[in-house]
Amino acid sequence: MAETVKLSGALTLDSICRVQAEVAGRLSAPDLLIDLSEVSEIDSTAISLLLHWQRDALAQGRRIALSQPPANLTSLAALYGVEAFLPSVQG
């Protein structure tokens, strides 16, 4: 069963260091689900961070998936052409 990390509030340049520090200790889970259902704001910094986490996970044979990504995340990912690199699950 995947370990779940629930993010909330803004995931923007102003909060990214705090979010990264909060999640750092849980990134070593072999199967991690990042719940974005309570994220209120996203910018390109969030895309960068999620891609970084995904790249590291793949390099180490781990899996990361996104749960309930907000519409602005999916539209930004599509705009940048990286949506295939941010796998999401329904739920």
Side-chain angles (χ1 to χ4, degrees):
M1 176 175 244
E3 181 174 342
T4 301
V5 172
K6 187 170 195 128
L7 302 181
S8 62
L11 194 53
T12 62
L13 181 60
D14 292 336
S15 64
I16 211 75
C17 290
R18 174 191 52 80
V19 170
Q20 191 166 13
E22 288 174 0
V23 176
R26 301 180 71 189
L27 290 173
S28 61
D31 195 10
L32 185 65
L33 182 63
I34 300 175
D35 182 345
L36 300 168
S37 62
E38 294 183 10
V39 171
S40 60
E41 188 178 351
I42 293 272
D43 69 10
S44 59
T45 310
I47 298 284
S48 178
L49 179 63
L50 294 169
L51 287 171
H52 172 74
W53 287 346
Q54 184 67 279
R55 185 176 48 248
D56 285 355
L58 290 173
Q60 297 172 13
R62 296 180 287 107
R63 180 179 171 270
I64 291 180
L66 307 177
S67 173
Q68 301 182 47
N72 53 349
L73 173 67
T74 54
S75 64
L76 272 178
L79 177 67
Y80 299 141
V82 297
E83 64 273 21
F85 302 109
L86 296 172
S88 61
V89 297
Q90 300 292 21

